[in-house]
């Protein structure tokens, strides 16, 4: 339902896994319409299912035909520049996730968006995004407590890439695995001080080149600083066939748990969990709901940069206020 | 931290379990100050720990000394009248939970608050409240799916009261218990059609009067329409000593689970859970966070009635926008 408004016109910048997921989510939304996919590649070489592909250099010409542009740049490096650039052209949504650089990125996008009267929501998706929402709500309800985030079981692209750079590795995938015993103890109300090692383990599936020294590969993985040295890491060598059969999905998920006490002394536990068969599809789905919120907030005259902390939940939903109160309250 | 504002002055109406929980939560919040507890009883007979007790008939005199009043009326009957009455005097927060009457209650509070330039947030707490938030967020991220709410294990006051009205029952308590097998299957990604009976069971602990007919009591419980007839109900007869030792807490909690598919076809599961040692303490804690939001939104000039759907999460937290982005995003 569009409640009297014309459909929200959505563009996508970048046509990788995330861009494709946003395309499908927008197409499925009755109150949204997909108008263009911007790409750095030759537009003739990509085939969006539901709209035309446009060279990113022509994006300026779409300025008045797009209500919100979802930035699906594949990495923080893309977004660091694209975020402010696109915020000058369109209302935007992105999933910027380089945590340490968020203040700087927020300021750059805020300035660019504000100068042109646009609105940009940065760092949406599930973490940052839904997990951030869970953290703020749980901490606000339960100020005296401790919040834990467990990720996985799921694929870490960065860790998989790190393994693939080792000599003799043909391909590899890395799963981050929560230490279930400890997440269960926290869910049951214990407040634990967990080391990195006690919170997650890392599981690697490696296709080695013929004749490669597997012992050396394994040693290089498990001792790799920052990536693996602080974790209990398991390495499995598998065949290319096994890899292609069992390890091409992108599952992920995890859990935010806050355990603490209300002021009267009672122990209380709040938890929020995701079990995702496809990480990019879910990220794209929530980015699409966020695009709806951006278009509506922009219509109300809001400008500059925002995060999920600044969005009232009703803006994400296509339902009217009356429907929300009668169906979901 | 108060970020340059003077503390939020909070009043409480009603000094039962919920009122006492709000009192403690407000007292623990650095940016809030408790100024009065309004009561229908003789104010001399109640002893708030941190402020004075005031006859509710004198509430009008506190109109300019209170930023937000938390309505802790013990039942929907209290609130149906108190909600609009107090919304004419103060900005208010309440935990109205008679689901079928929410549209009518919302309209009455909205009109009363709006006429006097006040802001009222109705139906906060955990359900309605945090569970409502979980439902809207999960449904917005995952439009194609099904949402389940499991309550418990926890005390239902209404069902406990119903048992206590049976002849020969000295006292009793009823626990609502989720059918764990089915919640697990849903969490694992199944979409089930559950009957009432398949979703919850009911467990009753009854202290019978000397010489009472236990078989009749049990039969009257398990066949009671609306309350028990549609459930698998277990009745345990216990002694007064056992009751006082094991059944005077007010634990509760539960889980909202949404299971569905993103538009690309992947199965995704979102869940939000609470394990509460004290239901009123947790309800009071989130009502207090909501009172912070109301005071801030009222300062910005918002009036009328709202629900949790209309509140951006940042308003619940005492942290600044910069702190939220660097610590919780």
């Amino acid at each position: 339902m569009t409640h009297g408004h014309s459909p929200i016109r959505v563009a996508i910048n970048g046509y990788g896994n995330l861009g494709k997921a946003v395309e499908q989510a927008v197409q499925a939304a009755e109150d949204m319409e997909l108008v263009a996919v911007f790409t750095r590649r030759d537009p003739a070489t990509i085939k969006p299912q539901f709209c035309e592909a446009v060279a990113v250099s022509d994006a300026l010409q779409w300025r008045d035909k797009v209500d919100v542009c979802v930035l699906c740049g594949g990495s923080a490096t893309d977004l660091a520049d694209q975020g402010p650039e696109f915020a000058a052209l369109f209302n935007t949504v992105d999933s910027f996730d380089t945590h340490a650089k968020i203040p700087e990125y927020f300021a750059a996008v805020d300035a660019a968006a504000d100068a042109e009267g646009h609105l940009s929501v940065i760092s949406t998706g599930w973490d940052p995004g839904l997990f951030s929402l869970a953290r703020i709500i749980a901490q606000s309800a339960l100020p005296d407590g401790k919040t834990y985030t467990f990720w996985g079981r799921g694929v870490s692209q960065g860790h998989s890439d790190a393994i693939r750079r080792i000599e003799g590795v043909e391909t590899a995938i890395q799963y981050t695995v929560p230490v279930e015993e400890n997440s269960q103890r926290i869910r049951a109300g214990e407040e634990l001080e967990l080391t990195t090692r006690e919170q997650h383990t890392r599981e690697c599936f490696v296709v080695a080149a013929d004749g490669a020294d597997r012992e050396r590969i394994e040693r290089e993985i498990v001792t790799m600083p920052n990536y693996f040295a602080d974790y209990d890491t398991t390495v499995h060598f598998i065949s290319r066939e096994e890899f292609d059969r069992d390890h091409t999905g992108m599952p992920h998920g995890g859990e935010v748990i806050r355990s603490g006490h209300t002021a009267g002394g009672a122990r209380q536990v709040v938890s929020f969990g995701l079990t995702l068969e496809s990480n990019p599809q879910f990220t794209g789905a929530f980015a699409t709901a966020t695009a709806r919120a951006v278009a509506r907030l922009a219509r109300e005259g809001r400008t500059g940069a925002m995060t999920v902390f600044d969005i009232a939940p009703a803006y994400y939903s296509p339902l009217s206020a009356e429907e929300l109160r009668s169906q979901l309250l």
Side-chain angles (χ1 to χ4, degrees), chain A:
Chain A
M1 271 166 290
T2 60
H3 295 291
H5 281 291
S6 45
I8 296 165
R9 298 165 302 169
V10 180
I12 292 169
N13 184 47
Y15 199 60
N17 286 323
L18 181 57
K20 286 172 187 163
V22 172
E23 180 188 25
Q24 289 175 307
V26 170
Q27 184 63 21
E30 285 181 30
D31 59 341
M32 305 180 116
E33 182 183 22
L34 195 67
V35 294
V37 169
F38 301 125
T39 178
R40 284 181 297 204
R41 292 178 268 172
D42 174 356
T45 66
I46 72 164
K47 298 269 172 279
Q49 275 185 273
F50 304 111
C51 69
E52 59 179 308
V54 175
V56 69
S57 51
D58 292 336
L60 180 61
Q61 297 165 30
W62 288 75
R63 206 175 157 134
D64 300 324
K65 299 175 205 158
V66 169
D67 294 313
V68 54
C69 181
V70 185
L71 307 185
C72 302
S75 74
T77 319
D78 287 347
L79 286 174
D81 295 330
Q82 286 175 358
E85 280 167 26
F86 273 75
L89 296 177
F90 304 107
N91 302 311
T92 66
V93 169
D94 70 55
S95 54
F96 187 83
D97 66 356
T98 310
H99 195 272
K101 293 190 176 162
I102 283 177
E104 181 188 335
Y105 182 71
F106 181 89
V109 172
D110 188 47
D114 215 38
E116 298 292 330
H118 292 142
L119 175 65
S120 293
V121 171
I122 70 158
S123 302
T124 193
W126 61 274
D127 195 6
L130 295 185
F131 274 20
S132 321
L133 278 183
R135 287 189 278 261
I136 190 175
I137 292 293
Q139 179 164 325
S140 299
L142 206 53
D144 174 17
K146 195 165 155 54
T147 301
Y148 304 81
T149 303
F150 290 91
W151 291 278
R153 187 174 191 262
V155 175
S156 163
Q157 226 48 65
H159 288 78
S160 301
D161 288 345
I163 302 173
R164 288 189 206 111
R165 286 192 293 264
I166 294 174
E167 199 193 318
V169 171
E170 277 199 355
T171 192
I173 194 163
Q174 192 267 185
Y175 297 91
T176 306
V177 184
V179 178
E180 196 60 44
E181 184 203 331
N182 287 332
S183 67
Q184 270 175 17
R185 287 174 61 189
I186 289 162
R187 239 179 281 120
E190 290 189 60
E191 268 180 68
L192 304 176
E193 290 296 331
L194 296 178
T195 62
T196 296
R197 194 178 296 275
E198 288 165 338
Q199 205 151 349
H200 296 97
T201 60
R202 299 198 174 277
E203 200 174 351
C204 313
F205 293 85
V206 178
V207 180
D210 281 348
D213 179 349
R214 294 180 172 201
E215 268 182 47
R216 175 191 52 79
I217 291 172
E218 177 163 352
R219 198 168 54 241
E220 285 192 34
I221 294 172
V222 302
T223 61
M224 196 184 298
N226 303 320
Y227 285 86
F228 295 100
D230 297 335
Y231 297 86
D232 290 336
T233 301
T234 321
V235 178
H236 307 279
F237 289 94
I238 60 174
S239 68
R240 168 64 74 168
E241 291 67 39
E242 287 172 296
F243 189 89
D244 290 344
R245 188 189 64 208
D246 301 333
H247 298 287
T248 54
M250 278 173 284
H252 218 314
E255 197 169 18
V256 171
I257 312 175
R258 187 166 180 87
S259 171
H261 293 86
T262 32
R267 157 92 42 203
Q268 322 274 18
V269 181
V270 181
S271 65
F272 178 79
L274 293 172
T275 307
L276 308 177
E277 212 170 76
S278 164
N279 179 357
Q281 278 185 27
F282 191 78
T283 303
F286 191 59
T288 300
T290 308
R292 173 183 293 119
V294 166
R296 291 166 161 189
L297 288 160
R299 278 176 188 157
E300 294 180 5
R302 303 289 294 266
T303 64
M306 281 188 177
T307 71
V308 290
F309 299 142
D310 307 306
I311 302 175
Y315 287 97
Y316 296 113
S317 172
L319 301 181
S320 71
E322 292 74 21
E323 289 167 330
L324 290 174
R325 286 195 296 270
S326 70
Q327 295 172 28
L328 301 183
L329 197 60

